[in-house]
Structures are given as structure tokens and as C-alpha cells.
Amino acid sequence: MRRAPWLVIPILFAFGCTRPEVEAFRQRPAPIQVSVSLPSGLADRDGFQKEYASALRARLATRVVVVPEGVKPPVGAAELQVDIRDISPAPGQASPAAIGVATGVTVGVLSAASGNRGWGVVDGLFWGLWAGSHASMHRERVQDRLGYRPQVVRAQVRLMQPGNPEPLWVEAIEPVEVVEAMDPLPYGSRDDDGRIREEEAKGFARVVVQKLSATFQWPRFAEQRFYEAPPAPKVVEPPPVPKLEIPAEHKQD
């Protein structure tokens, strides 16, 4: 019985304590650089990468110091690694009818396999209709609120520190979170693919920074903060050596 408290310590450490390096970074965050990777087969991959990285830097700079694009990060800078694993147009998703059919077939098979053969078809029909109608209503709500149909964005985000192979923070970003973070567009911009993609990137950045700030408890700055590389040291050239002139009377023929 005397050893029981020692068995509780690892559990408390795992569930109630913060790793020392995470706590240290929370109190004294180093400048953060942002890197974004996308699927190799994505059309206009470079454009998406710049759009999402720019939105993340702009949003993150309201919480911590961010290394701008093209600026060499200082020693000890952390890196926010964004791995976007899926970014696909909404029309490519399964239709509500397809979702209903797939759900109905799955439920019907499971119901029949469990011995409920007589009601397997009824169960499949009920749950199929429910899933299809739910998917349809969700799409209509999104379309009504935003005025446009957003893409599906799914990613994993990690905050890495130099010399530490284990992430300080890792989080999965789901499509529904990104959609909920998007803002409606004015009527004149709802058919503008560029404006829609910009708002999708901003919604994604809102989700990432909100989760990151909640974990590290970073307050919001009054203005954005970006890292400025120190100016290169000036090269001081030595003064020119005066030319020694020999008087004419001392010159030898």
C-alpha cells in the first residue's frame, strides 16, 4: 500500500502536467517560421501554398513574432509545419443521395448480420434516408450562410523546435472546423474563385491559430509582429594611404 502513490505519479504526469519544454516555449516563445506542404498532384500547388502560408503568417503574427517569407530565421526559431493532406472541390464530394445509399447499405448489412434479417432492409432504408437528408441540410446551411460552396480542407499541423524531435504541439484540422471559421462573401464576390480561395485560407488560419493560442495561452497583440533580421555589419574601409612625393632636388638622374 505504501507504493500506491508512486503508481499515481506517472498518470498525473501524463494527464495533468505540461512538458517542461512546452511550458518554457509558452512563456518565452521564439520567432516562428511557417512552412506549408500540399499534395503533389494538386493543380496550382504553388498558388495554394503561398495563399495558405500568407494567411497563417498574418494571423499568427497577432499572437507571436513571425518570420516573414524570404527572411532568414534566427537561431532557435521554431517552425509551424502545416501538412495539408486533402484539399478538394466540394462538388467532388459524395452527393447526399450517395451518402444515403452507402449508409443504408452498410446499416442493412450489419443489421442482417446481427440476426435481424426481417428488419435489415427497413433499418437500412431508415438510416439511409436520415443520413442523406442530414447531408443535404448541412450543405444547404453552409451555402446559405456563406453564399458559396467551400472546398474540403483537411490537415495536420505541428510546432517543431530545433534540436527536439518531438513536436511541441500537434493538431488535426478537420473540414467542418474550417468551414465554420469562414466568413460570408459579398454578393459580387461569391463567384470569384480567387476571393473564395482567399477566404478558405483565412478560415483555415483562424482554426490553426485559435487552437495554438488556446494551448499556449498567448494573448492577442494590438498589432502584428514580424521578425526583422539585424542589419548587415558595415564594412569600414581603411583610409587611403597618402602617396609620398619625392622633392625634385632629391631625385637622381
Side-chain angles (χ1 to χ4, degrees):
M1 295 297 293
R2 293 180 180 179
R3 295 183 179 181
W6 294 100
L7 299 176
V8 179
I9 291 177
I11 299 176
L12 294 176
F13 182 81
F15 293 96
C17 298
T18 304
R19 288 158 43 202
E21 63 270 27
V22 175
E23 179 61 22
F25 195 87
R26 182 188 71 81
Q27 296 183 14
R28 295 178 298 278
I32 297 177
Q33 58 178 326
V34 176
S35 63
V36 178
S37 65
L38 296 105
S40 57
L42 180 67
D44 193 18
R45 184 170 179 263
D46 292 340
F48 275 100
Q49 181 172 313
K50 291 181 179 179
E51 190 82 60
Y52 276 75
S54 177
L56 280 165
R57 291 189 189 98
R59 194 75 179 183
L60 188 60
T62 62
R63 304 287 183 164
V64 292
V65 177
V66 174
V67 180
E69 181 183 7
V71 175
K72 183 179 179 180
V75 177
E79 182 178 9
L80 185 66
Q81 299 177 351
V82 180
D83 181 15
I84 298 180
R85 300 179 174 180
D86 180 26
I87 179 168
S88 56
Q93 302 178 67
S95 66
I99 294 174
V101 171
T103 303
V105 170
T106 301
V107 172
V109 170
L110 292 175
S111 180
S114 65
N116 191 13
R117 297 181 181 274
W119 291 92
V121 176
V122 177
D123 289 343
L125 179 63
F126 172 79
W127 288 109
L129 291 173
W130 179 88
S133 61
H134 181 75
S136 178
M137 288 188 295
H138 174 71
R139 283 194 179 184
E140 290 177 0
R141 285 197 301 269
V142 170
Q143 184 79 27
D144 291 342
R145 184 178 73 85
L146 298 179
Y148 58 93
R149 183 171 294 178
Q151 296 194 102
V152 173
V153 182
R154 181 179 288 103
Q156 186 178 65
V157 187
R158 297 177 297 274
L159 181 63
M160 304 299 298
Q161 191 177 40
N164 187 358
E166 187 176 356
L168 296 176
W169 173 81
V170 61
E171 188 72 40
I173 308 299
E174 298 297 331
V176 65
E177 299 176 297
V178 180
V179 170
E180 292 299 325
M182 292 180 190
D183 286 338
L185 289 177
Y187 286 102
S189 301
R190 293 182 176 181
D191 294 328
D192 188 334
D193 292 339
R195 288 286 289 111
I196 293 175
R197 189 166 78 175
E198 178 184 353
E199 184 53 43
E200 289 169 345
K202 288 181 178 179
F204 180 83
R206 292 185 187 110
V207 175
V208 172
V209 175
Q210 190 277 329
K211 289 190 173 188
L212 187 60
S213 302
T215 299
F216 289 91
Q217 302 174 10
W218 290 333
R220 185 187 298 274
F221 298 151
E223 57 184 15
Q224 294 174 316
R225 298 185 182 182
F226 291 97
Y227 168 77
E228 294 184 5
K234 295 182 179 179
V235 178
V236 179
E237 298 182 357
V241 179
K243 184 178 180 181
L244 181 62
E245 294 288 344
I246 303 175
E249 60 271 16
H250 293 287
K251 291 182 179 181
Q252 297 179 358
D253 297 334

